[in-house]
Amino acid sequence: KIEAYGYINGFTGLLRGDKISLPIDLTNTDYENLYKVGGSIIGNSRVKLTNKEDCIQKKLIDKHQDPLEVASEQLIKDKIDILHPIGGDDTNSTARDLANYINSKGIDITLVGIPKTIDNDIYPVKQSLGAYSAAESGAIFFNNIVNENNMSPRQLIVHEVMGRNSGWLTAYTAKIYNDILDKKKNSLENLNLKPIYNLNRFKIHALYVPEESYDFSGEVKRLEQVMDNTGCLNVFVSEGAFLKEISNDIESKGNKINKDAFGHVQLDSMDTGKWISKIISDKINIQRVLIQKSGYFARSAAPNSKDLEYIFKICDFAFKQALDGNSGVAGVDERSNELSCIDFKLIRGDKGLDIKSKWYLDIMDEIKT
């Protein structure tokens, strides 16, 4: 008999022994309804099992306890044979630490990670679950926001998209938005209502990602010309872009950079959209600035059909690997382009956007024309 449980808020629930029973006998209709729900029904958290001080601060363990030992003992107590950590590189690197500890103690539990992050930045996983759904939702978000350009003259819209070290989500959101705009073109052009429905007012005029460097002396001149010709500016920016520059600004004012349990800068405190809007508006005559963040709108979206198909593929494979006693991260290995159970030791969170890929270069060519 198979029993399935979900630890509430991920490793937080594991440390606390806080779990729920997951039904495994749902009807097809039940499953279809569940697939329409966005986010995570068991939640998540930012917990690193090797960061003892953070676990103590969060009151997940006592000061004399070891988080890895507490987690392992809970799994034994709950009679868990297979654990599927679901998340990005931080989740799966923590799963690696837990797997190493379990193996060192001779405990018979198999861990197979599920690569789930909208940043799509896990090396060497070719595609993370949820990434395409988030990009599509971000494009839909901006497709509505861009209509605000008809409300005010000389308006700057900054669309801040999630993504720490990788600009993939920002760029792919732009790609899908351009596809939406292409479908609009005929209907808008047939209206013959220029300049109100000038297509250039709907275009993306700039896209900034962490993988690129920018010369703003020349960039501002280009954007100023776009503003003068079009009457608006539409900018896409990754929340992790300009991280060094923003950090320097914050520290120069005597303020502290906040970091999470994994040592990452807390991006909410960076406010990248506000920073880039000031850089632009300080040099260009702008009457109204609108900063919009699609992050949680996109991250909590229900999976689209493309993602669902991939989710089924990865999860079925992950469960089979677990039954066979193979630990690792289930996903298509971009080195071989094959579905694999990738060694935890190979997992990193530094897979950036390929700025030489044709689809990205096509977006940049479209922006600059």
Side-chain angles (χ1 to χ4, degrees):
K1 180 184 177 181
I2 295 177
E3 295 181 346
Y5 298 94
Y7 285 103
I8 302 299
N9 298 122
F11 290 118
T12 290
L14 177 56
L15 290 174
R16 289 177 171 167
D18 188 8
K19 68 181 189 301
I20 59 170
S21 178
L22 299 175
I24 59 176
D25 56 352
L26 298 177
T27 65
N28 287 339
T29 300
D30 290 332
Y31 281 119
E32 289 172 4
N33 289 332
L34 184 59
Y35 300 151
K36 297 173 185 177
V37 178
S40 170
I41 60 172
I42 61 172
N44 60 12
S45 61
R46 302 287 295 167
V47 172
K48 183 177 177 65
L49 295 179
T50 54
N51 189 336
K52 182 175 178 177
E53 291 305 314
D54 183 67
C55 290
I56 293 173
Q57 186 177 358
K58 290 175 178 174
K59 299 182 178 179
L60 300 176
I61 61 169
D62 295 329
K63 61 182 180 180
H64 64 276
Q65 292 179 307
D66 177 358
L68 288 169
E69 182 179 5
V70 172
S72 299
E73 288 179 351
Q74 188 63 50
L75 291 171
I76 294 171
K77 178 181 177 182
D78 293 335
K79 299 180 180 179
I80 301 299
D81 302 303
I82 295 169
L83 182 67
H84 288 300
I86 305 169
D89 64 290
D90 289 332
T91 297
N92 284 294
S93 64
T94 296
R96 174 201 62 211
D97 296 333
L98 182 57
N100 289 340
Y101 182 89
I102 286 172
N103 289 337
S104 72
K105 299 298 181 181
I107 303 169
D108 187 19
I109 299 175
T110 303
L111 278 74
V112 180
I114 307 294
K116 167 67 177 71
T117 170
I118 63 174
D119 290 358
N120 199 29
D121 63 348
I122 307 175
Y123 175 85
V125 177
K126 184 175 183 179
Q127 178 187 336
S128 299
L129 279 60
Y132 285 121
S133 298
E136 181 182 65
S137 294
I140 293 170
F141 176 90
F142 187 73
N143 188 46
N144 284 355
I145 296 299
V146 75
N147 294 322
E148 282 291 313
N149 275 329
N150 292 321
M151 303 298 109
S152 303
R154 299 190 70 84
Q155 176 168 263
L156 166 64
I157 296 181
V158 177
H159 178 199
E160 182 182 316
V161 184
M162 281 187 169
R164 179 181 301 278
N165 299 316
S166 172
W168 183 91
L169 182 61
T170 304
Y172 214 83
T173 299
K175 178 184 183 303
I176 296 179
Y177 173 73
N178 282 344
D179 292 341
I180 293 173
L181 187 57
D182 282 341
K183 294 176 182 178
K184 274 187 177 180
K185 282 183 179 179
N186 288 336
S187 58
L188 292 176
E189 288 173 345
N190 290 339
L191 287 174
N192 196 26
L193 289 174
K194 292 182 179 180
I196 298 174
Y197 280 102
N198 181 349
L199 279 173
N200 288 330
R201 297 175 68 86
F202 296 87
K203 285 182 60 176
I204 301 170
H205 303 123
L207 188 153
Y208 304 122
V209 294
E211 292 82 359
E212 298 265 33
S213 58
Y214 305 94
D215 174 16
F216 270 98
S217 59
E219 180 70 353
V220 166
K221 291 179 182 178
R222 182 184 74 84
L223 294 178
E224 186 172 28
Q225 185 175 12
V226 173
M227 175 62 85
D228 291 341
N229 293 339
T230 307
C232 66
L233 281 174
N234 301 317
V235 174
F236 275 43
V237 61
S238 297
E239 63 177 351
F242 310 109
L243 201 56
K244 182 178 180 181
E245 293 87 341
I246 299 173
S247 297
N248 289 340
D249 281 355
I250 292 174
E251 291 177 330
S252 69
K253 297 173 183 176
N255 296 319
K256 184 181 178 181
I257 303 294
N258 298 321
K259 295 186 178 181
D260 64 17
F262 294 86
H264 300 312
V265 171
Q266 292 181 345
L267 293 177
D268 286 349
S269 65
M270 295 291 100
D271 212 347
T272 308
K274 182 178 181 180
W275 186 87
I276 193 65
S277 71
K278 188 176 188 309
I279 294 292
I280 296 172
S281 57
D282 278 352
K283 302 293 184 181
I284 299 174
N285 175 23
I286 293 172
Q287 295 185 21
R288 185 189 183 207
V289 176
L290 186 63
I291 302 169
Q292 294 291 301
K293 302 181 181 184
S294 61
Y296 294 105
F297 177 88
R299 194 177 80 165
S300 297
N304 61 21
S305 58
K306 185 175 183 179
D307 249 332
L308 268 179
E309 183 179 345
Y310 187 64
I311 289 168
F312 297 150
K313 176 181 177 180
I314 296 301
C315 290
D316 286 350
F317 176 80
F319 187 56
K320 185 179 185 304
Q321 291 298 305
L323 290 177
D324 291 342
N326 299 323
S327 291
V329 178
V332 175
D333 190 327
E334 64 181 10
R335 299 168 301 173
S336 63
N337 206 34
E338 293 181 356
L339 193 56
S340 307
C341 191
I342 303 168
D343 193 321
F344 277 119
K345 292 185 293 185
L346 299 175
I347 299 299
R348 305 196 308 265
D350 57 359
K351 186 183 80 171
L353 164 70
D354 181 2
I355 58 175
K356 295 182 180 180
S357 60
K358 183 180 184 305
W359 67 268
Y360 174 74
L361 294 174
D362 287 345
I363 291 171
M364 300 310 296
D365 285 344
E366 177 70 19
I367 285 172
K368 294 175 181 178
T369 56

